[in-house]
Amino acid sequence: MDTLNATPATPELGVRASRASPVVIATDGRAQSDSALVVGRLFAGSLDAARVVTVMKSMPILPDSQITVSADIHAARRADARRVAMEQLARAWGGESDVELGEGDPATVIARLAHETGATMIVAGLGRHRVADRIFGDETALRLIRVSDVPVFSTASGMNHAPRRIVVAIDFSETGLRAARMALDLAASGATIYLTHVAPRDSSLYDWKGGAPAYKQDASRALQKTREQLHVPSDIVVQRALLQGDPATELLAFAASVNADLIATGSHGHGFVARMLIGSVTTRIVRCSTCSVLTVPYAAIMTDARTTVEPTVVASLPRPEWQETLDVFSKRNAGRRCTVEVDDPEIGAQQQASDVPFLGTTFDPHDQRVELMLGDNGDGTRHLTRDISGVTAIDVMREEGGRDVGLRIAHGTGQTMLTLYS
């Protein structure tokens, strides 16, 4: 295993947070949140791009109880919660800064703030999950992951630098790829990233053509393909690891063996109910990990665009230019691999296509609709045409050098996101 040189305490790329897309830092005033404040400010890059929030839980009231909480008691509780958070912030940051105070269920309030502010990510303390926490519902980090539609970085106690050894759980889904991309953005210069896939036990591979050896060979090739889809800085080492057994057990053991300071994984909830029932693998990792955990939800439609493009190079197109600009966009990008996702408040986030060639897009001024064409040009084996009506806005996203990275098409109350990779 390679020995890393001393690394700076800042990410190599960063999440490019800004006032418009801040890092939301959650604290409860306790020591388990100290690292969240330190790491959150590190990722935010500046005070303007960080929003610190503490949430005061509502006082439990028994059903049919005649007992009420006086205004004075309520005000005293608010003042005390704010004071504790401000004192902690002064210790962690060495100076005064503003703390936003919410009231209610902490996970719900924090997730709502992140959604409403267009946050790049949420940083919260991982805490220690005891049996009592599960019984009384105090697993705030886990509950936050369940309800959040932006990435959540759960910080282990004592972490005060950008991650240097990162284990990324790869299941060859879009969320796994997103987790790998974000891990790269958060990694310190000189970091080592392990793209890790856990194959099922031999007994579950009987139906696989060729059995376990064939599965492992295919998985190894798929890991290499994942590696090729990432834009890896020259000073970051990416290694592949193929394990076998129970996913959570193997990932936690491997992370401990390489002394990882971060495990990155995607969650697969496509709607509210699915997000509330996140998989047992994510749950066990969050509960049992001794290092920090990054979870990227499926609903984070804009995550890749936020971590790839500066906000200043998101160009909103005037309606008269839609047809011409989309035609030019098609000529520039035909053949590139892409993913198409739809985010609708009524149905949640839905993936329409993943890792397919982009053929082109156009705007029909007569029917006032955008058409996306995807697939393997010529053989017709993989072809998809998506018609989008009721379009209200079109944004083109580009890297600083001018290379296109995607389209955002707003329609009705939702949006369609085309993300280009290769």
Side-chain angles (χ1 to χ4, degrees), residues 345-358:
E346 295 184 0
I347 63 174
Q350 302 281 340
Q351 186 179 84
Q352 299 292 313
S354 177
D355 192 27
V356 297
F358 171 68

Side-chain angles (χ1 to χ4, degrees), residues 23 41-42 68 169 195 239 332:
V23 170
R41 182 173 177 180
L42 184 70
T68 59
L195 301 180
Q239 298 185 11
R332 281 200 305 262

Side-chain angles (χ1 to χ4, degrees), residues 338-363:
C338 71
T339 291
V340 175
E341 295 157 295
V342 178
D343 186 15
D344 189 300
E346 295 184 0
I347 63 174
Q350 302 281 340
Q351 186 179 84
Q352 299 292 313
S354 177
D355 192 27
V356 297
F358 171 68
L359 300 182
T361 181
T362 186
F363 174 68

Side-chain angles (χ1 to χ4, degrees), residues 125-136:
L126 186 58
R128 293 184 178 181
H129 300 301
R130 303 162 299 176
V131 173
D133 295 331
R134 304 179 196 179
I135 296 174
F136 295 105

